[in-house]
Amino acid sequence: MFTLHDYLPSQNGWKVRVLLGLLGMPYRSRMVSIFEGESRTEAFLELNPVGAIPVLELDDGRAIAESNAILTYLAEGTRFLPSDHYLHAKVMQWLFFEQYHVEPVIGSLRFWTLTGRLDRNQSMVAGKREAAARALAAIDRGLSDSLFLVGQELTIADIAVYAYSHRAEDCGFSLAAYPAFSAWSGRVRDAIGADHPVYPYSMDPHSAG
């Protein structure tokens, strides 16, 4: 059985939980207290040298880090990752896009906003907001003629990009300005279902300050 080393408020961890749920794969959860330094311990760094969650530990002790790498591993051979070479590459295109243009931008702004860190990072806020607006516009354009990011069915590209982008309102963006994005977001929400809540940072008292 897999062990998912996780932190509930992380949307990177959320992505993996969603796919495991959609695939009906049993797994164990091991919560990592990242703000208390647990992800920097020697034992955790053996699983992921970068010291970040999520990490998927296989039953033989091998480990896979980076949320989108985990999604790709789990989705191989399933309906969530097309076998067609071109469509497979398009999924990877969106996974790389998400890690470069969405998670470091919307994810950071959201974290700073929800944990009271916005003022101390003020020098970076304007640039991040501009980049976030470009990312949302790019997703909106990418959905101009398809129901999902890669064709007409939900893939791990949608799960990955949706994870942080659909929370952009948490850091002051109006998603109504992106109609194709908003319609897609509703489709992804319905396809995922209601069994995968987004957890607030406030559940972890060590995340503030």
Side-chain angles (χ1 to χ4, degrees):
M1 184 182 292
F2 297 128
T3 299
L4 180 62
H5 298 260
D6 199 1
Y7 174 70
L8 288 179
S10 167
Q11 289 301 99
N12 282 325
W14 178 90
K15 300 174 195 174
V16 180
R17 277 174 252 137
V18 165
L19 184 58
L20 285 165
L22 292 175
L23 292 172
M25 289 184 173
Y27 67 98
R28 292 182 292 263
S29 293
R30 185 184 181 283
M31 295 300 129
V32 180
S33 300
I34 60 175
F35 289 101
E36 294 181 280
E38 190 176 356
S39 63
R40 297 293 177 178
T41 63
E42 184 176 343
F44 190 84
L45 290 173
E46 288 182 4
L47 295 171
N48 180 8
V50 175
I53 63 92
V55 173
L56 187 71
E57 187 176 357
L58 311 186
D59 57 7
D60 61 6
R62 292 180 297 168
I64 303 169
E66 299 297 333
S67 58
N68 290 350
I70 297 171
L71 292 184
T72 303
Y73 175 82
L74 292 172
E76 194 71 46
T78 77
R79 63 188 175 92
F80 298 106
L81 182 59
S83 58
D84 175 86
H85 268 187
Y86 175 77
L87 296 179
H88 188 285
K90 293 299 286 184
V91 168
M92 301 308 294
Q93 172 188 313
W94 283 108
L95 294 183
F96 297 146
F97 168 88
E98 189 272 339
Q99 282 293 282
Y100 191 81
H101 296 286
V102 177
E103 191 273 346
V105 180
I106 295 173
S108 294
L109 286 171
R110 178 176 180 264
F111 174 68
W112 295 342
T113 301
L114 297 181
T115 61
R117 289 170 166 83
L118 204 60
D119 286 344
R120 74 179 72 171
N121 292 287
Q122 198 61 46
S123 63
M124 293 183 282
V125 168
K128 293 274 191 184
R129 289 192 64 82
E130 182 180 345
R134 287 198 304 268
L136 291 168
I139 300 166
D140 197 65
R141 286 193 298 271
L143 290 160
S144 61
D145 60 357
S146 64
L147 292 178
F148 294 96
L149 289 172
V150 181
Q152 307 306 308
E153 301 291 339
L154 183 81
T155 69
I156 56 173
D158 300 290
I159 295 170
V161 173
Y162 177 84
Y164 279 103
S165 67
H166 89 287
R167 306 303 302 182
E169 289 181 330
D170 291 342
C171 47
F173 289 91
S174 172
L175 297 182
Y178 308 97
F181 175 97
S182 296
W184 163 81
S185 183
R187 288 191 290 271
V188 176
R189 180 197 63 227
D190 292 345
I192 287 172
D195 296 331
H196 310 287
V198 172
Y199 291 93
Y201 287 107
S202 60
M203 70 180 295
D204 179 0
H206 300 284
S207 70

